Amino acid sequence: MHHKPSLMTVAVFATALTLVHSNETKCDQTIAPVDSVSSQTQECLDCHATVTPGIVQDWETSRHSWVTVGAALAKPVIQRRVSAENPAADLLQHVVGCYECHSQNTDQHKDSFDHFGYRINVIVTPHDCATCHPVEVSQYEGSKKANAYGNLMENPVYHELLSTVNGMKSIEGDKIVSQEPGAVNLNLSCLGCHGSFVQVAGVDTVHSPVGDVVVPRLTNWPNQGVGRINPDGTKGSCTACHTRHSFSLEIARKPYTCAQCHLEPDVPAWEVYRESKHGNIFLSKGEGWDMEDVPWVAGKDFQAPTCATCHNSTLVSSDGTVIAERNHDFGSRLWLRLFGLIYSHPQPKSGNTTVIRNKDGLPLPTTFTGEVAADFLIGSSEQATRLASMEQMCKSCHSTPWVEGHFAHLDTVVHETDRMTKSATQLVVKAWQDSIEDKSNPFDEEIEKMWVEQWLFYANTMRYSAAMTGAPDYEAFKDGWWDMTKNLVQMKDMIDLKSALKKGGNR
Amino acid sequence: MHHKPSLMTVAVFATALTLVHSNETKCDQTIAPVDSVSSQTQECLDCHATVTPGIVQDWETSRHSWVTVGAALAKPVIQRRVSAENPAADLLQHVVGCYECHSQNTDQHKDSFDHFGYRINVIVTPHDCATCHPVEVSQYEGSKKANAYGNLMENPVYHELLSTVNGMKSIEGDKIVSQEPGAVNLNLSCLGCHGSFVQVAGVDTVHSPVGDVVVPRLTNWPNQGVGRINPDGTKGSCTACHTRHSFSLEIARKPYTCAQCHLEPDVPAWEVYRESKHGNIFLSKGEGWDMEDVPWVAGKDFQAPTCATCHNSTLVSSDGTVIAERNHDFGSRLWLRLFGLIYSHPQPKSGNTTVIRNKDGLPLPTTFTGEVAADFLIGSSEQATRLASMEQMCKSCHSTPWVEGHFAHLDTVVHETDRMTKSATQLVVKAWQDSIEDKSNPFDEEIEKMWVEQWLFYANTMRYSAAMTGAPDYEAFKDGWWDMTKNLVQMKDMIDLKSALKKGGNR
Amino acid sequence: MHHKPSLMTVAVFATALTLVHSNETKCDQTIAPVDSVSSQTQECLDCHATVTPGIVQDWETSRHSWVTVGAALAKPVIQRRVSAENPAADLLQHVVGCYECHSQNTDQHKDSFDHFGYRINVIVTPHDCATCHPVEVSQYEGSKKANAYGNLMENPVYHELLSTVNGMKSIEGDKIVSQEPGAVNLNLSCLGCHGSFVQVAGVDTVHSPVGDVVVPRLTNWPNQGVGRINPDGTKGSCTACHTRHSFSLEIARKPYTCAQCHLEPDVPAWEVYRESKHGNIFLSKGEGWDMEDVPWVAGKDFQAPTCATCHNSTLVSSDGTVIAERNHDFGSRLWLRLFGLIYSHPQPKSGNTTVIRNKDGLPLPTTFTGEVAADFLIGSSEQATRLASMEQMCKSCHSTPWVEGHFAHLDTVVHETDRMTKSATQLVVKAWQDSIEDKSNPFDEEIEKMWVEQWLFYANTMRYSAAMTGAPDYEAFKDGWWDMTKNLVQMKDMIDLKSALKKGGNR
């Protein structure tokens, strides 16, 4: 009888053996000297290793914990993870610890507080991260993501949708009466992704093992949405993708990060990717890939793209040719906005989409008949430039006819789903015209809701599927043609039934 | 041209190289001596290595196959995987093989049979596992899981739901006529998770390569549901989570085990976890974690919790402080029962929930108006104690205001989903009062089914989402507010249509 | 303060260390000699390493890139990945590179073109792969997969379903008017899995870094569907599962490959597997398994089956006994066709299912009342043989009573879901008889669509679930009994509402 240990135990053991060597030889120029932890951070660690050990140990797995800012800057530009040219001198010799991040710009932080002799901010904001990563933060500031709170909350049309959907309903007589949704409701649903409005609303006393600690009381907290309004007035939450406190590139580049928000039924990017050929390769082989390399070498570090590959990472060929430069404005490589409002349209010029007005005066990028608000959207020349850049990435692995065929397919699906949206729009307009449903709130009745599902769920799903080299089920049966077609038939039947009911009621 | 082998092949090769060393040095005190397989088990193996080689090789990957009970007991208490103080002397020197498990308590096993000179039980039950793991089995016996069969089948309300849903339907005239569901139907659906009733119903002769073998014929078999009624009268199936025959802690601690049952649309724990920040970290980095360590060290062994972390494992800090003690009553750390029946409520006092009676005399933890059956549920003091314990776990990584904010959010979602359930309940009651649908079976008509979806699908989904630090899509569009609101509107419209139809029919 | 590098970095480092050794010692007899890349392929690589570096590097990870055909043939038969007995002599000494695949049978390839002095085919077809893998291609040719294009497009019933679902709809007056779906529409949806019709429709000039290149213009391209009609007249796309250009067995054997197409709501094989015990084990432990071994050793290489294990791989016991022989006709091990058309039925005799006629003369394997088209389906003796073979695989790990119990359960679910399909059929027939809906197109009205969902979505889901040792949620609440029952009730209510509306309209 042969008794063998489990493979996993062996692997752990093998790792332990090599750990000794690797500590000495890995990334030689970036290993932090022994005294590279600042005295302030060391003081934080002395307590927090006991009070919140998980955070400390997570940070210890991070590059922040063992690379000094100076060492990070010593790398060739293409390999750098920092974009600051001249960070403050006292940062250069230190690794990036608790104090280095939580003590930036305290005068602008309404959430700063005295903490055992130090001035500490609860929230590290993009403005703080910009100390070392200014280019990334600057790109991000112009993005739709950074503006995601206002784009939703300050657009009266979207706000009416949100408030109709999320409002608490009571039954009064034979009516459904809806209230405005509360702050917590929104923080966990829409603003869970879009970001919440975090303010300081007083202080609280926390009883901790090391004594009472007085800390700011924050509204709408916790929240890690991409467009969070922070107590220093900035927008965004880097930890939405760069997960605390490992700030791991591997996590940010794996699709599970994007899958925190980009999900069916409205933006099924993750589900579509998972079923695609690219997703199949990632799921089958991705554990062996190098998800930390900078720059990221197509073909060598990985053999199929993840979300980050096409949408924001620095990509190079194995010969060092730059295929795409890193960009934290995630719309910057996109020519089309697949997400229908209510039709697909060219990407907006500004990340702040509340400025958009269509020909009917509504804050929407298209009219109900499909005309785009061209003044606020990028033009065909810019579209062509962006498409060509995206195609360049595809061509790392695919032939030109393959790539052009793929994007021609996408164009057709965009056209057909827009056309199917238009048919649904014609039906809801008919329901309004015949007083079967009431247009005053276009989102609160049954036929109206079916109309929303046509463009928000089904048309979007099919376009995402077409964009990602195959997930045929999402074109056919899974929120695809089956649902688009069935939905139209059901809208029509419901119009007929309600119409008959209305006539009956009038007798 | 450089030809490199695939990374995987290399990894396998590297493992092979280190296997020699690791056999000698790993877990020194636990390596079984050469003669540690009992003579009885060796006899089993001699045949079954040919007859069912997969089982044998799976077992060979298990700790059971290479650690003697004596060696397991020699460990410090906190590191022990066994809780018996004085197991039988003949077990101590042996590893835990076929015979050690399948020959326990044969006199109580109606499924025991003579097998080549040995008395063997087909099913190893919790009572048998208690030989070495008595504390775990004792905890489990008091849980809702152990009682899952009776809690479903012997509660007349739940049984009516089950039988209405699963009964085979025929069309007779213009009526849908439903039968009682059969045993197989239930074994594969509800009882697939809850556990089936396994009895001995005769014997069968199996023609095997080593001759005919006469074995007990079991009813409702195979089944691995958590509350299975076994042929020795005990309740439960340890293999529901401790998958045969590796009994791997890694498997039990990974969320895929819980995902066998805790799934959308009614209990979407897995889907919510997968989209949460914790799930993202696990999916991105979990392959490198130590999922076998006992005790499990938060921060060091893993950097984000899985289901087992919060709900049952022994958790310690890296300095050895015990954060939570192992408990196999999975409700024991919970203060609230998110699962609405029909409203969320405090955890029941007993794992046997058939004893509960609400103020209307129904075997439900709440009334239709939302009043809880307080006598049968834990009180606010016990709730506070449990919540504080859970918060202690969160605080390993999160600050106190973060943790308190999180649970305050959950409370709000519980309140709002209960309120939305109440609105749906008001509508179905109206349908009953107006004789639009018939209350005699509250689950078999269309508006009734929409009402069930409100509390069983949508309210549950939103509460699970709020409990797990973010899966905003499940609050908003995916069985969340969108569906809750749409469902109410559709209930209302269907009441109006049916009401009009009824009046029309009366003319 | 201890600063440790991330585990991943260490692992990569460890791999790098061992790479030197492994190049020399791994798979000694198969390492390609230095001059094993043909001069033609070397010429391809010289350019394409720059033009499409990703393809080249993906190929470098493939066995094709480092094993010569001669070395592949030198292996014992059971270990061979090639089935050719006497491939052309000039192949033997070379690894399988660009030219070896893309230059086969150019005279039959309408997509061949002159490319820098060589005659190159754009598409490598099954006929080309048959140069080295003739047995696999021959098996595949007889399969339903190879015939998937014609089986869908040339069956008038299925084509009417497809065209009703996928046709673009416009609203004209108060009618929904449907067009025939276009080529792109079908290529991305149904034919994304079934395969498209790829023809040469001219030439295009591609502007590349190395000058203009004139290439064939292909219709319906790209496409990787399993039944693709290729420009050489052959059927199929090996890259549907053997993903370019790594042709990795690991990918083909992992369930993510099958999950490209076998998805809910119509064929939820992947979702069911994922929630099953087998799926749990694979997801928890599969990263440590040997997914490349040939033959594949049950229990040793893996401890739970993936799709490929049961449906097509060569399986052996650890003692070398062959449990199942490789077969690329994926229906060949199956006795039942779970996929209802409209009822479950014995597997068809021929992979070309357009020849089938039921008693009513329709090209369907069953009548609307459930009678099977026996002449075109395998008989009970062949069914018994296949079932016994499948059971043999299960018995590698499971006892005979367990296995027989499992398949008896499946039989019951097949029976019950067929019965529930029949009830839905009775309702739609009633709607037709009462002129509530119009049978002339049986797929385009609301009640008809509900009827389709009964057999295409819910009955299929429950049968897949029953076939795969447990995914109880898919029997109960997730497209299972809950949906089957609710659907019947909704069909009935819609018949009543439409009937009342019709009477009202006639007044």
Side-chain angles (χ1 to χ4, degrees):
Chain A
M1 196 59 236
H2 171 72
H3 296 291
K4 77 162 186 256
S6 79
L7 278 182
M8 169 154 183
T9 320
V10 175
V12 168
F13 174 75
T15 303
L17 265 185
T18 53
L19 201 61
V20 183
H21 304 287
S22 63
N23 260 340
E24 290 162 5
T25 57
K26 189 186 54 72
C27 310
D28 42 352
Q29 83 277 31
T30 62
I31 288 295
V34 172
D35 60 352
S36 61
V37 174
S38 70
S39 60
Q40 299 94 326
T41 288
Q42 190 58 55
E43 219 172 316
C44 305
L45 293 170
D46 289 345
C47 248
H48 277 276
T50 302
V51 178
T52 52
I55 293 181
V56 171
Q57 289 182 304
D58 198 26
W59 171 77
E60 284 181 34
T61 71
S62 78
R63 186 172 291 268
H64 275 172
S65 79
W66 81 77
V67 182
T68 64
V69 175
L73 274 166
K75 294 206 165 196
V77 170
I78 188 79
Q79 295 177 20
R80 277 190 210 160
R81 288 162 164 87
V82 291
S83 56
E85 293 294 331
N86 294 302
D90 60 338
L91 280 174
L92 290 174
Q93 61 186 315
H94 291 134
V95 300
V96 182
C98 323
Y99 188 75
E100 284 66 36
C101 295
H102 284 273
S103 73
Q104 294 292 327
N105 314 304
T106 53
D107 54 328
Q108 295 163 49
H109 271 271
K110 294 187 179 154
D111 59 322
S112 75
F113 66 112
D114 281 312
H115 192 52
F116 298 102
Y118 294 107
R119 193 90 197 147
I120 296 298
N121 309 322
V122 177
I123 297 181
V124 179
T125 69
H127 184 226
D128 304 330
C129 298
T131 305
C132 293
H133 307 280
V135 173
E136 290 70 27
V137 170
S138 165
Q139 291 164 342
Y140 190 80
E141 277 170 355
S143 72
K144 292 195 297 297
K145 280 193 175 27
N147 289 281
Y149 176 86
N151 284 349
L152 182 64
M153 297 294 278
E154 289 155 24
N155 183 314
V157 177
Y158 306 158
H159 195 277
E160 181 159 28
L161 174 58
L162 165 159
S163 117
T164 304
V165 172
N166 282 36
M168 182 109 80
K169 276 91 187 164
S170 52
I171 308 300
E172 299 181 11
D174 63 349
K175 287 219 173 332
I176 299 174
V177 177
S178 185
Q179 299 170 350
E180 272 298 299
V184 171
N185 171 325
L186 291 178
N187 189 20
L188 293 194
S189 57
C190 307
L191 303 184
C193 289
H194 280 252
S196 66
F197 191 74
V198 181
Q199 283 180 294
V200 177
V203 293
D204 278 318
T205 301
V206 170
H207 309 295
S208 91
V210 292
D212 282 3
V213 181
V214 177
V215 298
R217 184 190 308 146
L218 301 178
T219 62
N220 302 312
W221 181 253
N223 179 282
Q224 306 150 68
V226 295
R228 191 181 64 204
I229 311 295
N230 298 305
D232 67 348
T234 61
K235 298 173 181 176
S237 163
C238 300
T239 61
C241 308
H242 296 287
T243 300
R244 280 172 294 174
H245 280 85
S246 68
F247 305 101
S248 153
L249 257 191
E250 179 179 5
I251 294 181
R253 283 173 168 177
K254 283 193 169 173
Y256 310 112
T257 285
C258 310
Q260 294 177 128
C261 286
H262 294 259
L263 290 168
E264 59 183 23
D266 53 327
V267 280
W270 157 240
E271 287 91 351
V272 160
Y273 175 78
R274 188 174 55 189
E275 320 306 9
S276 76
K277 184 65 97 179
H278 289 160
N280 172 16
I281 300 172
F282 166 75
L283 289 165
S284 295
K285 306 277 280 184
E287 282 297 325
W289 294 351
D290 187 346
M291 304 299 278
E292 296 276 355
D293 204 14
V294 173
W296 217 11
V297 188
K300 178 177 150 291
D301 288 337
F302 58 89
Q303 280 92 47
T306 65
C307 316
T309 314
C310 302
H311 293 288
N312 91 307
S313 286
T314 301
L315 265 201
V316 302
S317 289
S318 45
D319 65 4
T321 310
V322 174
I323 306 170
E325 289 188 15
R326 185 186 302 133
N327 198 323
H328 275 67
D329 174 356
F330 289 77
S332 67
R333 293 183 185 172
L334 300 175
W335 59 106
L336 265 181
R337 195 171 181 202
L338 299 180
F339 192 75
L341 293 161
I342 64 174
Y343 302 99
S344 185
H345 52 280
Q347 281 286 324
K349 286 179 182 168
S350 164
N352 175 359
T353 62
T354 60
V355 300
I356 296 174
R357 290 292 174 278
N358 70 15
K359 290 230 170 141
D360 302 327
L362 288 173
L364 295 174
T366 67
T367 63
F368 272 21
T369 56
E371 199 175 349
V372 299
D375 290 351
F376 303 91
L377 310 177
I378 63 172
S380 54
S381 156
E382 174 68 12
Q383 283 193 292
T385 303
R386 294 189 187 187
L387 173 57
S389 307
M390 182 65 87
E391 287 183 338
Q392 204 52 40
M393 285 187 266
C394 306
K395 288 178 187 172
S396 296
C397 294
H398 296 283
S399 72
T400 297
W402 199 102
V403 172
E404 292 181 349
H406 167 67
F407 286 111
H409 287 170
L410 173 58
D411 282 346
T412 301
V413 171
V414 167
H415 169 73
E416 295 198 350
T417 50
D418 278 346
R419 187 69 193 76
M420 289 292 281
T421 294
K422 194 168 193 170
S423 293
T425 306
Q426 288 174 280
L427 288 178
V428 79
V429 165
K430 178 181 162 56
W432 289 333
Q433 285 169 344
D434 296 355
S435 300
I436 291 166
E437 294 197 348
D438 175 7
K439 191 185 182 169
S440 64
N441 178 335
F443 305 124
D444 67 341
E445 291 171 282
E446 185 166 6
I447 294 165
E448 293 165 345
K449 288 179 189 297
M450 297 163 93
W451 166 67
V452 172
E453 293 187 346
Q454 189 83 346
W455 49 267
L456 189 58
F457 294 175
Y458 311 137
N460 280 347
T461 294
M462 290 176 64
R463 291 196 284 255
Y464 277 96
S465 166
M468 270 187 268
T469 67
D473 203 40
Y474 285 90
E475 295 289 329
F477 285 122
K478 179 110 188 182
D479 292 350
W481 275 109
W482 176 262
D483 301 273
M484 279 212 139
T485 293
K486 185 182 171 200
N487 196 37
L488 278 186
V489 171
Q490 286 184 313
M491 288 179 77
K492 172 77 169 57
D493 277 4
M494 187 54 68
I495 287 173
D496 290 345
L497 287 169
K498 286 196 164 189
S499 173
L501 176 65
K502 186 162 172 280
K503 283 177 196 149
N506 288 343
R507 271 174 311 197
Chain B
M1 195 61 232
H2 172 73
H3 296 290
K4 77 162 185 254
S6 79
L7 278 182
M8 170 155 180
T9 321
V10 175
V12 167
F13 174 76
T15 303
L17 265 185
T18 53
L19 200 62
V20 183
H21 305 288
S22 63
N23 260 340
E24 289 162 4
T25 57
K26 186 186 55 73
C27 310
D28 43 351
Q29 84 277 31
T30 63
I31 289 294
V34 173
D35 59 352
S36 62
V37 174
S38 70
S39 60
Q40 299 94 327
T41 288
Q42 191 57 59
E43 219 172 313
C44 304
L45 293 170
D46 289 344
C47 247
H48 277 277
T50 302
V51 178
T52 54
I55 294 181
V56 170
Q57 289 182 305
D58 198 25
W59 171 77
E60 284 182 32
T61 70
S62 78
R63 187 172 288 268
H64 276 172
S65 79
W66 82 77
V67 182
T68 64
V69 175
L73 274 166
K75 293 205 164 193
V77 170
I78 189 78
Q79 294 179 21
R80 278 191 208 159
R81 289 162 164 87
V82 290
S83 55
E85 293 295 328
N86 294 301
D90 60 335
L91 280 173
L92 290 174
Q93 60 185 313
H94 291 133
V95 299
V96 182
C98 323
Y99 189 75
E100 283 66 34
C101 295
H102 283 272
S103 73
Q104 295 291 327
N105 314 304
T106 53
D107 52 328
Q108 294 163 47
H109 270 271
K110 293 186 180 154
D111 59 322
S112 75
F113 66 111
D114 280 312
H115 192 52
F116 298 103
Y118 294 107
R119 192 87 197 152
I120 297 297
N121 309 322
V122 177
I123 297 180
V124 179
T125 70
H127 184 225
D128 304 330
C129 298
T131 304
C132 293
H133 307 281
V135 172
E136 290 70 27
V137 170
S138 165
Q139 290 165 342
Y140 190 80
E141 278 169 356
S143 72
K144 291 195 297 296
K145 281 195 175 25
N147 289 281
Y149 176 86
N151 285 349
L152 183 64
M153 297 293 279
E154 290 156 24
N155 182 316
V157 177
Y158 305 158
H159 195 277
E160 181 159 28
L161 174 58
L162 165 161
S163 119
T164 304
V165 172
N166 282 36
M168 182 110 79
K169 275 90 187 164
S170 53
I171 309 300
E172 300 181 11
D174 63 349
K175 287 217 174 333
I176 300 174
V177 178
S178 185
Q179 299 170 351
E180 271 297 300
V184 170
N185 171 325
L186 292 178
N187 189 21
L188 293 193
S189 57
C190 307
L191 302 183
C193 288
H194 281 252
S196 65
F197 191 74
V198 181
Q199 283 180 294
V200 176
V203 292
D204 278 318
T205 300
V206 170
H207 308 293
S208 92
V210 293
D212 282 4
V213 181
V214 178
V215 298
R217 184 190 308 148
L218 301 177
T219 62
N220 302 312
W221 182 252
N223 179 282
Q224 305 151 73
V226 295
R228 191 181 62 204
I229 311 295
N230 298 305
D232 67 347
T234 62
K235 297 173 181 175
S237 163
C238 300
T239 61
C241 308
H242 296 287
T243 300
R244 280 172 295 171
H245 279 85
S246 68
F247 305 101
S248 154
L249 257 191
E250 179 178 6
I251 295 181
R253 282 172 168 176
K254 284 194 168 171
Y256 310 113
T257 285
C258 310
Q260 295 177 125
C261 286
H262 294 258
L263 289 168
E264 60 184 21
D266 52 328
V267 280
W270 157 240
E271 287 91 352
V272 160
Y273 174 78
R274 188 175 54 189
E275 319 308 8
S276 76
K277 185 63 97 179
H278 289 159
N280 172 17
I281 300 172
F282 167 75
L283 289 165
S284 295
K285 305 278 278 184
E287 282 297 323
W289 294 352
D290 186 346
M291 305 298 279
E292 296 276 355
D293 204 14
V294 173
W296 217 10
V297 188
K300 178 177 149 289
D301 288 337
F302 59 90
Q303 280 92 47
T306 65
C307 316
T309 313
C310 302
H311 293 288
N312 91 307
S313 285
T314 301
L315 266 201
V316 302
S317 289
S318 46
D319 64 4
T321 310
V322 175
I323 306 170
E325 289 188 15
R326 185 187 301 134
N327 197 325
H328 275 66
D329 174 356
F330 289 77
S332 66
R333 293 184 185 171
L334 301 174
W335 59 105
L336 266 181
R337 195 172 181 200
L338 299 180
F339 192 76
L341 294 161
I342 64 173
Y343 302 100
S344 185
H345 51 281
Q347 282 285 324
K349 288 179 181 167
S350 163
N352 175 359
T353 62
T354 59
V355 299
I356 296 173
R357 288 296 173 277
N358 69 15
K359 290 229 171 142
D360 302 327
L362 288 172
L364 294 173
T366 66
T367 63
F368 272 22
T369 56
E371 199 174 349
V372 300
D375 290 351
F376 303 91
L377 310 176
I378 63 172
S380 55
S381 157
E382 173 68 12
Q383 282 194 293
T385 303
R386 294 189 187 187
L387 173 56
S389 307
M390 182 65 87
E391 288 183 338
Q392 204 53 41
M393 285 186 267
C394 305
K395 288 178 187 171
S396 296
C397 295
H398 297 283
S399 73
T400 297
W402 199 103
V403 172
E404 291 180 351
H406 167 67
F407 287 112
H409 288 170
L410 173 58
D411 282 346
T412 302
V413 171
V414 167
H415 169 73
E416 295 199 349
T417 50
D418 278 346
R419 187 66 192 78
M420 289 293 279
T421 294
K422 194 167 191 170
S423 293
T425 305
Q426 287 175 281
L427 288 178
V428 77
V429 165
K430 178 181 162 57
W432 290 332
Q433 284 169 345
D434 297 354
S435 300
I436 290 166
E437 293 198 349
D438 174 6
K439 191 186 182 169
S440 64
N441 177 336
F443 305 124
D444 66 340
E445 292 171 282
E446 186 166 4
I447 295 165
E448 293 165 345
K449 288 179 188 298
M450 298 163 93
W451 166 67
V452 172
E453 292 186 345
Q454 189 84 345
W455 48 268
L456 189 58
F457 294 176
Y458 310 137
N460 280 347
T461 293
M462 290 176 64
R463 291 195 285 254
Y464 277 96
S465 166
M468 270 187 269
T469 67
D473 203 39
Y474 284 90
E475 295 290 329
F477 285 123
K478 179 108 188 184
D479 293 350
W481 274 108
W482 176 262
D483 301 274
M484 277 212 140
T485 293
K486 185 182 171 202
N487 196 38
L488 278 187
V489 171
Q490 286 184 314
M491 287 179 77
K492 171 77 168 58
D493 277 4
M494 187 53 69
I495 287 174
D496 291 345
L497 287 169
K498 285 194 165 192
S499 171
L501 176 63
K502 188 161 171 281
K503 284 177 194 148
N506 288 343
R507 270 174 312 197
Chain C
M1 195 61 233
H2 172 73
H3 296 290
K4 76 163 186 253
S6 78
L7 279 181
M8 171 156 180
T9 320
V10 175
V12 167
F13 174 74
T15 302
L17 265 185
T18 52
L19 201 61
V20 183
H21 305 287
S22 63
N23 261 340
E24 288 162 6
T25 56
K26 187 186 53 74
C27 311
D28 42 352
Q29 83 277 31
T30 62
I31 288 296
V34 172
D35 59 352
S36 62
V37 174
S38 70
S39 61
Q40 298 95 326
T41 288
Q42 191 58 57
E43 218 172 315
C44 306
L45 293 170
D46 289 344
C47 247
H48 277 276
T50 303
V51 179
T52 52
I55 294 181
V56 170
Q57 289 182 303
D58 198 26
W59 171 77
E60 284 182 33
T61 71
S62 79
R63 187 172 290 269
H64 275 171
S65 79
W66 82 77
V67 182
T68 63
V69 176
L73 274 166
K75 292 205 165 195
V77 170
I78 189 78
Q79 294 178 20
R80 279 192 208 158
R81 289 163 164 86
V82 290
S83 56
E85 293 294 330
N86 294 302
D90 60 335
L91 280 173
L92 290 174
Q93 61 186 314
H94 291 134
V95 300
V96 182
C98 323
Y99 188 75
E100 283 66 36
C101 296
H102 283 272
S103 74
Q104 294 293 326
N105 314 304
T106 54
D107 54 327
Q108 295 164 48
H109 270 271
K110 293 188 180 153
D111 59 321
S112 75
F113 66 111
D114 281 311
H115 192 51
F116 298 104
Y118 294 107
R119 193 87 198 151
I120 296 297
N121 309 322
V122 177
I123 297 181
V124 178
T125 69
H127 185 225
D128 304 330
C129 299
T131 305
C132 292
H133 307 281
V135 171
E136 290 69 27
V137 170
S138 164
Q139 291 165 342
Y140 190 80
E141 279 170 354
S143 72
K144 291 195 298 294
K145 281 195 174 24
N147 288 280
Y149 176 86
N151 284 349
L152 182 65
M153 298 294 279
E154 289 156 24
N155 182 315
V157 177
Y158 305 157
H159 195 277
E160 181 158 28
L161 174 60
L162 165 160
S163 118
T164 304
V165 172
N166 282 36
M168 183 109 81
K169 275 89 187 165
S170 53
I171 309 300
E172 300 182 11
D174 63 350
K175 287 218 174 331
I176 299 173
V177 177
S178 185
Q179 298 170 351
E180 271 298 299
V184 170
N185 171 325
L186 291 178
N187 189 21
L188 293 193
S189 56
C190 307
L191 303 183
C193 289
H194 281 253
S196 66
F197 191 74
V198 181
Q199 283 180 294
V200 177
V203 293
D204 278 319
T205 300
V206 170
H207 309 294
S208 92
V210 293
D212 282 3
V213 181
V214 178
V215 297
R217 184 191 308 146
L218 301 178
T219 62
N220 302 311
W221 182 252
N223 178 282
Q224 306 150 72
V226 295
R228 191 180 64 204
I229 311 294
N230 299 305
D232 67 348
T234 61
K235 297 173 182 174
S237 163
C238 300
T239 61
C241 307
H242 296 287
T243 300
R244 282 171 292 174
H245 281 85
S246 68
F247 306 101
S248 153
L249 257 191
E250 180 179 4
I251 295 180
R253 282 172 168 176
K254 284 193 169 172
Y256 310 113
T257 285
C258 310
Q260 295 177 125
C261 287
H262 293 259
L263 290 168
E264 59 184 21
D266 52 327
V267 280
W270 157 240
E271 288 91 351
V272 161
Y273 175 77
R274 188 174 54 188
E275 319 307 8
S276 75
K277 184 65 95 178
H278 289 159
N280 172 16
I281 300 171
F282 167 75
L283 290 165
S284 295
K285 305 277 279 184
E287 282 297 325
W289 294 352
D290 187 345
M291 304 298 280
E292 296 276 354
D293 203 15
V294 172
W296 217 10
V297 187
K300 178 177 150 288
D301 289 336
F302 59 89
Q303 280 92 47
T306 66
C307 316
T309 314
C310 302
H311 293 289
N312 91 308
S313 286
T314 301
L315 265 201
V316 302
S317 289
S318 45
D319 64 3
T321 310
V322 175
I323 306 170
E325 289 188 14
R326 185 187 301 135
N327 197 323
H328 275 67
D329 174 355
F330 290 76
S332 68
R333 293 183 185 172
L334 300 175
W335 59 105
L336 266 181
R337 195 171 180 202
L338 299 180
F339 192 76
L341 294 162
I342 64 173
Y343 302 99
S344 184
H345 51 280
Q347 281 285 324
K349 287 178 181 168
S350 165
N352 174 359
T353 61
T354 60
V355 299
I356 296 174
R357 290 294 173 277
N358 70 14
K359 290 229 171 141
D360 302 327
L362 288 171
L364 295 173
T366 67
T367 63
F368 272 22
T369 55
E371 199 175 349
V372 300
D375 290 351
F376 302 91
L377 309 177
I378 64 171
S380 55
S381 156
E382 173 68 13
Q383 283 193 291
T385 302
R386 294 189 187 187
L387 173 56
S389 307
M390 183 65 87
E391 289 183 338
Q392 203 54 39
M393 285 187 266
C394 306
K395 287 178 187 170
S396 296
C397 295
H398 296 283
S399 73
T400 297
W402 200 104
V403 172
E404 291 181 350
H406 167 67
F407 286 112
H409 288 170
L410 174 58
D411 281 346
T412 301
V413 170
V414 167
H415 169 74
E416 295 198 349
T417 50
D418 278 345
R419 188 67 193 77
M420 289 291 280
T421 294
K422 194 167 192 170
S423 294
T425 305
Q426 287 173 281
L427 288 177
V428 78
V429 165
K430 178 181 162 57
W432 290 332
Q433 283 169 345
D434 296 355
S435 301
I436 292 166
E437 293 196 349
D438 174 6
K439 190 185 183 169
S440 64
N441 178 335
F443 305 124
D444 67 340
E445 290 171 283
E446 186 166 5
I447 295 164
E448 293 165 344
K449 288 180 189 298
M450 296 163 94
W451 165 68
V452 171
E453 292 186 346
Q454 188 84 345
W455 49 267
L456 189 59
F457 294 175
Y458 311 137
N460 281 346
T461 293
M462 290 176 65
R463 291 195 284 255
Y464 277 96
S465 167
M468 269 187 270
T469 66
D473 203 39
Y474 284 91
E475 295 290 329
F477 284 122
K478 180 109 188 182
D479 292 350
W481 275 108
W482 176 263
D483 301 274
M484 278 213 139
T485 293
K486 183 182 172 200
N487 197 39
L488 278 187
V489 171
Q490 286 183 315
M491 288 179 77
K492 173 76 170 55
D493 276 4
M494 187 54 69
I495 287 174
D496 290 345
L497 287 168
K498 286 195 164 189
S499 172
L501 176 65
K502 188 162 172 279
K503 284 177 194 149
N506 288 342
R507 269 175 312 196

